[in-house]
């Protein structure tokens, strides 16, 4: 077990910068998720740590050892690949024992570790099978087992669940979390699935175009996104974003977008001082737009908007509203009765508003 | 009705053409075999049907072993074939692997250049090569062929292997290297077992070509005791315009046996499918 440090790591492929000046510290025993859209550099960052890619500049440390130029076999890590990469010509047992044999671990010790890992993963009965005789879920377990028996300092996982079907994925996700908490091994987990990121990680590093956008706990990432990218990437359905003008008067601030006027809560006012009479990007999460059935008096936090479309999802209903600039999605109660064309009152939880600088796209609050 | 229709169309479009094709391909071998077994009296006799045997003799085979250097030719051919195949295979595996796996400056260019080298006809190449052979001082030695055959074996074999290596998921090696293997170990313990069908194809290819090769063998190693089967047969069994058909065909039959054995043994045993289950299936 060890901490992992990326120290100003840059990786270039010819003219493409895959990872751009990444500085990141993963704590001992932490489960860190690297998340971002495809091509954001998360897998490259992981492969640099594994030693499968040579970094262009910067250093990588595992524990207190600089491993930047050390070959993969000497880094004391184990990796689970997206397609599992089981050795097809070896049995499950040999697959798991392969790394230990190479390290000249005594036979009895190998046997003990393989059996122990097999028991943890519930694959004792599969040890004599070949990978082609296993189901997707079983293969995934074997790949995991192969990593566990090594007892490495760091686990690297590259989208290990993305080849499983939806149900199995949710189940395995839970098991993986429990396993990591139990073994306490520092784990770096790459995914493009933000639900996996939110549920699994102690902390999440959001990347885009090779640049680390934000590194924080799931709660903070959700409630205090550092910039527009993080705000729209985390959360489903995505945060509603539209331009609004900052207007001040009588010591209060209002955000005005077309017909919609929203009062800025007092706690956030000071941050908007520089933006008076300028446009900012206003962000509201769908669950912070409450569709109020029945007529209610207009207040500083309510707006009247026409309904465009209803999407009943069962546990919730997504209400598409015609907003000041395009569609706004509100998360309504289940079994809500609305028809397209109805004009409804929407209450905005103004304490959860987000604003972003339109030029830098950085969060104002 | 539908079934019978399908059966007759299968016979018409599948079995009949296949049968014709098989007869067409096998007839020369049949011809070779019966001539090697016919007594001289029947060989040029136009009054008997030449298509089947009416009398049977092994004296052409005996002639081959008693009056010619055939065993020696066979030994020469075997030495050269194994040497050239082993050398070509070793080089081709390394080259195919490098071209298939590594991204390096000029890699693609090199791949194309190798393929172009394969397109140069040996009938052109043997002129400069004979200079090389003489200057190396290996004329009329086994090395003359063991070192020159790879000029046409390596280009094709490494292309074949390059394609094969590319079908093996890169992650398998990467995983092995993280597990504690060096690149050579990963190649030997993970890639090679999976590339076996490809390697065997390359081996069969090299073996067949070396075994049957004529031109280089004639030019570089064609005198005295050093002849190979193709050269010896043509040199010693055709005297000016006299064709000794019986021994000629007997030599041809015996010369084809090893190739036939190699094909029978390997082609049946190694038809791909070994990579199944490596990655998500």
């Amino acid at each position: 077990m060890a901490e992992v440090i990326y120290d100003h790591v840059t990786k270039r492929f010819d003219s493409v910068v895959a990872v751009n000046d990444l500085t990141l510290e993963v704590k001992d025993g932490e489960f860190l998720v690297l998340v971002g859209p495809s091509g954001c550099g998360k897998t490259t960052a992981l492969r640099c740590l594994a030693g499968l890619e040579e970094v262009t500049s910067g250093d990588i440390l595992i524990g207190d050892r600089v491993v930047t130029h050390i070959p993969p076999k000497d880094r004391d890590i184990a990796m689970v690949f997206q397609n599992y990469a089981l050795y097809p010509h070896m049995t499950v047992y040999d697959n798991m024992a392969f790394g230990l044999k190479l390290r000249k671990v005594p036979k009895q010790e190998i046997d003990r570790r393989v059996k122990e890992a097999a028991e943890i993963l519930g694959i004792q009965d599969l040890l004599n099978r070949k990978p082609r005789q296993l189901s997707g879920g079983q293969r995934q377990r074997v790949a995991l087992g192969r990593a566990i028996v090594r007892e490495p300092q760091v686990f690297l996982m590259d989208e290990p669940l993305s080849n499983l079907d939806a149900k199995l994925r949710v189940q395995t996700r839970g098991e993986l979390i429990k396993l990591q908490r139990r073994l306490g091994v520092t784990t770096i987990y790459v995914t493009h699935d933000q639900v996996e990121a939110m549920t699994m990680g102690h902390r999440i590093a959001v990347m885009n175009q090779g640049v680390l956008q934000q590194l924080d706990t799931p709660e903070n990432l959700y409630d205090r996104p550092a910039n527009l990218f993080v705000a729209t990437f985390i959360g489903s359905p995505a945060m509603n974003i539209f331009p609004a003008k900052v207007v001040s008067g009588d010591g209060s601030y209002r955000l005005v977008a077309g017909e919609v006027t929203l009062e800025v809560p007092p706690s956030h006012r000071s941050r908007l001082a520089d933006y008076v009479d300028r446009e900012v990007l206003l962000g509201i999460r769908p669950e912070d737009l409450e569709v109020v059935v029945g007529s209610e008096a207009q207040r500083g936090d309510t707006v009247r908007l026409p309904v465009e479309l209803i999407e009943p999802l069962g546990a919730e209903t997504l209400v598409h509203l015609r907003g000041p600039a395009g569609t706004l999605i509100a998360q309504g109660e289940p079994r809500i009765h609305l028809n397209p064309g109805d004009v409804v009152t929407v209450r905005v939880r103004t304490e959860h508003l987000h604003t972003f600088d339109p030029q830098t796209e950085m969060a104002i609050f | 009705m539908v079934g019978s229709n399908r059966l007759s169309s299968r016979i018409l479009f599948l079995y009949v053409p296949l049968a014709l094709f098989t007869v067409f391909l096998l007839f020369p071998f049949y011809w070779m075999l019966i001539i090697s077994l016919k007594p001289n009296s029947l060989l040029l006799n136009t009054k008997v049907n030449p298509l089947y045997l009416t009398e049977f003799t092994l004296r052409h085979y005996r002639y081959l072993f008693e009056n010619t250097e055939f065993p020696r030719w066979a030994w020469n051919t075997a030495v050269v074939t194994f040497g050239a195949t082993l050398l070509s295979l070793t080089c081709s595996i390394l080259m195919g692997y490098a071209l298939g796996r590594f991204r390096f400056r000029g890699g693609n260019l090199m791949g194309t250049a190798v393929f172009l080298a394969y397109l140069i006809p040996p009938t052109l190449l043997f002129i400069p090569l004979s200079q090389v052979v003489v200057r190396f001082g290996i004329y009329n030695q086994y090395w003359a062929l063991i070192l020159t055959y790879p000029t046409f074996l390596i280009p094709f074999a490494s292309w074949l292997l390059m394609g094969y290596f590319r079908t093996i998921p890169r992650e398998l090696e990467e995983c092995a290297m993280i597990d504690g293997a060096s690149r050579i170990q990963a190649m030997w313990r993970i890639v090679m077992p999976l590339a076996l069908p490809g390697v065997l194809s390359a081996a069969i290819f090299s073996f067949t070509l070396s075994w049957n090769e004529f031109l280089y063998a004639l030019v570089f190693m064609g005198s005295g005791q050093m002849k190979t089967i193709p050269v010896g047969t043509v040199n010693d069994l055709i005297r000016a315009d006299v064709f000794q058909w019986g021994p000629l065909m007997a030599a041809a039959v015996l010369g084809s046996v090893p190739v036939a054995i190699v094909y029978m043994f390997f082609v049946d045993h190694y038809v791909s499918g070994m990579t199944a289950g490596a990655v998500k299936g």
Side-chain angles (χ1 to χ4, degrees):
Chain A
M1 274 159 275
E3 53 177 14
V4 171
I5 296 170
Y6 285 85
D7 184 13
H8 296 284
V9 169
T10 295
K11 171 65 188 174
R12 257 186 222 104
F13 293 107
D14 298 325
S15 58
V16 182
V17 184
V19 177
N20 194 351
D21 197 25
L22 176 66
T23 297
L24 181 69
E25 200 176 324
V26 188
K27 294 176 205 147
D28 189 5
E30 184 175 26
F31 194 120
L32 182 102
V33 178
L34 275 174
V35 70
S38 54
C40 72
K42 55 191 190 297
T43 295
T44 307
L46 192 74
R47 291 172 57 86
C48 286
L49 175 56
L52 299 173
E53 304 284 354
E54 188 97 17
V55 301
T56 311
S57 65
D59 273 320
I60 295 177
L61 287 85
I62 297 176
D64 43 16
R65 216 157 50 110
V66 178
V67 297
T68 318
H69 301 292
I70 290 179
K73 69 187 177 79
D74 300 323
R75 295 195 180 195
D76 201 8
I77 49 174
M79 184 157 168
V80 179
F81 289 81
Q82 180 171 7
N83 58 17
Y84 317 140
L86 302 182
Y87 311 129
H89 55 303
M90 296 183 191
T91 61
V92 168
Y93 186 96
D94 289 334
N95 260 282
M96 289 167 72
F98 181 72
L100 300 177
K101 281 183 191 159
L102 283 175
R103 279 160 216 275
K104 310 243 182 309
V105 175
K107 251 202 165 101
Q108 285 167 326
E109 171 73 3
I110 294 179
D111 198 57
R112 186 187 66 77
R113 286 209 222 168
V114 170
K115 294 208 164 125
E116 200 176 285
E119 203 180 309
I120 292 174
L121 296 164
I123 51 172
Q124 305 98 306
D125 302 339
L126 307 176
L127 289 176
N128 290 322
R129 299 229 194 133
K130 292 274 179 73
R132 65 171 165 274
Q133 298 166 302
L134 305 178
S135 70
Q138 290 170 332
R139 284 179 201 178
Q140 209 276 341
R141 278 160 195 275
V142 176
L144 217 53
R146 199 168 52 177
I148 293 173
V149 294
R150 293 264 321 282
E151 298 177 3
Q153 297 212 17
V154 186
F155 282 142
L156 310 183
M157 305 199 183
D158 186 6
E159 312 218 12
L161 304 183
S162 63
N163 280 346
L164 300 178
D165 62 54
K167 193 177 157 202
L168 200 54
R169 196 179 315 156
V170 173
Q171 185 194 336
T172 315
R173 193 169 76 200
E175 287 173 10
L176 209 55
I177 297 171
K178 276 184 256 167
L179 186 68
Q180 197 272 340
R181 306 296 188 257
R182 174 173 160 192
L183 299 174
V185 178
T186 312
T187 303
I188 300 179
Y189 185 103
V190 162
T191 180
H192 64 270
D193 181 340
Q194 46 125 344
V195 177
E196 268 176 35
M198 294 294 282
T199 50
M200 300 180 86
H202 289 119
R203 285 191 304 162
I204 300 173
V206 183
M207 289 185 72
N208 188 33
Q209 298 183 335
V211 180
L212 177 64
Q213 305 289 319
Q214 189 172 0
L215 170 63
D216 219 325
T217 60
E219 299 76 28
N220 281 345
L221 223 50
Y222 193 76
D223 288 336
R224 284 190 283 282
N227 59 33
L228 191 63
F229 177 82
V230 176
T232 50
F233 186 78
I234 301 287
S236 173
M239 186 186 279
N240 298 296
I241 302 285
F242 55 94
K245 199 171 172 189
V246 182
V247 176
S248 85
D250 317 333
S252 73
Y253 285 84
R254 285 179 309 270
L255 290 160
V256 182
E259 316 267 286
V260 176
T261 301
L262 291 170
E263 192 106 14
V264 179
S267 52
H268 293 330
R269 277 176 197 161
S270 57
R271 307 226 190 143
L272 275 182
D274 291 344
Y275 291 90
V276 173
D277 292 331
R278 284 168 59 191
E279 253 189 10
V280 295
L281 292 172
L282 177 59
I284 310 171
R285 292 212 181 269
E287 66 270 28
D288 296 327
L289 287 174
E290 188 189 351
V291 177
V292 184
V293 184
S295 57
E296 218 176 286
Q298 285 274 69
R299 299 192 330 213
D301 60 351
T302 59
V303 292
R304 300 272 298 165
L305 294 170
V307 175
E308 275 185 339
L309 181 71
I310 314 285
E311 286 184 294
L313 298 181
E316 62 190 25
T317 307
L318 298 184
V319 183
H320 293 233
L321 303 159
R322 197 174 315 134
T327 303
L328 288 183
I329 297 179
Q331 202 169 328
E333 311 219 320
R335 295 178 272 278
I336 196 169
H337 285 291
L338 289 172
N339 292 307
D342 290 355
V343 177
V344 293
T345 302
V346 178
R347 184 182 298 137
V348 182
R349 298 202 176 88
T350 49
E351 68 275 22
H352 293 306
L353 285 184
H354 301 270
T355 50
F356 304 92
D357 185 300
Q359 262 85 51
T360 63
E361 297 191 349
M362 297 305 283
I364 303 166
F365 62 77
Chain B
M1 189 62 194
V2 175
S4 69
N5 226 339
R6 280 178 59 190
L7 185 65
S8 61
S9 74
R10 269 175 78 90
I11 289 174
L12 190 63
F13 292 109
L14 187 69
Y15 291 112
V16 170
L18 271 180
L20 288 175
F21 196 62
T22 312
V23 169
F24 180 74
L25 282 182
L26 286 183
F27 182 74
F29 291 94
Y30 173 72
W31 191 241
M32 182 169 91
L33 192 67
I34 59 169
I35 289 180
S36 74
L37 295 172
K38 268 184 199 176
N40 276 337
S41 56
L42 290 179
L43 270 177
L44 301 171
N45 188 341
T46 50
K47 296 201 177 82
V48 291
N49 190 333
L51 285 179
Y52 51 86
L53 280 176
T54 45
E55 270 177 70
F56 164 91
T57 175
L58 284 175
R59 62 175 285 258
H60 300 313
Y61 289 89
R62 204 178 314 129
Y63 177 87
L64 214 52
F65 284 91
E66 288 171 0
N67 300 51
T68 73
E69 299 269 8
F70 187 83
R72 174 76 199 185
W73 302 339
W75 171 250
N76 293 343
T77 313
V79 170
V80 167
T81 299
F82 282 107
T85 300
L86 202 68
L87 180 64
S88 303
L89 219 53
T90 311
C91 295
S92 302
I93 287 171
L94 295 173
M95 181 148 170
Y97 182 84
L99 288 175
R101 269 290 186 269
F102 302 138
R103 271 190 295 173
F104 55 96
R105 202 177 295 256
N108 282 335
L109 188 76
M110 202 179 279
T112 317
V114 167
F115 191 68
L116 285 179
Y118 181 64
L119 298 180
I120 300 173
T123 38
L124 278 183
L125 216 54
F126 89 92
I127 302 166
L129 270 180
S130 60
Q131 288 284 322
V132 175
V133 167
V134 169
R135 296 222 180 141
F136 269 32
I138 51 176
Y139 177 76
N140 218 29
Q141 294 175 17
Y142 291 135
W143 285 114
L145 295 187
I146 292 176
L147 290 180
T148 49
Y149 284 176
T151 57
F152 57 84
L153 296 179
I154 291 177
F156 184 81
S158 40
W159 260 69
L160 190 142
L161 285 169
M162 179 176 81
Y164 210 90
F165 285 135
R166 280 187 180 157
T167 65
I168 295 170
R170 189 184 286 267
E171 287 88 348
L172 291 180
E173 273 167 90
E174 292 179 343
C175 194
M177 286 196 279
I178 290 175
D179 264 352
S182 63
R183 183 168 285 276
I184 295 291
Q185 279 175 316
M187 190 177 157
W188 189 248
R189 300 184 60 163
I190 305 295
V191 178
M192 286 305 285
L194 298 175
L196 209 56
V199 173
L200 280 173
S201 304
I204 290 173
F205 167 85
S206 303
F207 182 90
T208 315
L209 247 62
S210 308
W211 190 269
N212 295 332
E213 208 279 337
F214 181 73
L215 182 66
Y216 288 4
L218 178 69
V219 180
F220 301 150
M221 219 177 80
S223 8
Q225 293 256 300
M226 296 301 283
K227 290 171 189 145
T228 61
I229 294 177
V231 175
T233 310
V234 171
N235 262 357
D236 291 16
L237 298 178
I238 304 175
R239 300 212 173 103
D241 56 352
V242 180
F243 289 72
Q244 294 176 282
W245 285 117
L248 257 179
M249 290 301 121
V253 169
L254 292 180
S256 325
V257 168
V259 178
I261 289 174
V262 165
Y263 269 79
M264 251 166 43
F265 189 72
F266 288 116
V267 172
D268 264 12
H269 281 72
Y270 295 94
V271 181
S272 243
M274 284 187 66
T275 49
V279 296
K280 183 211 170 209

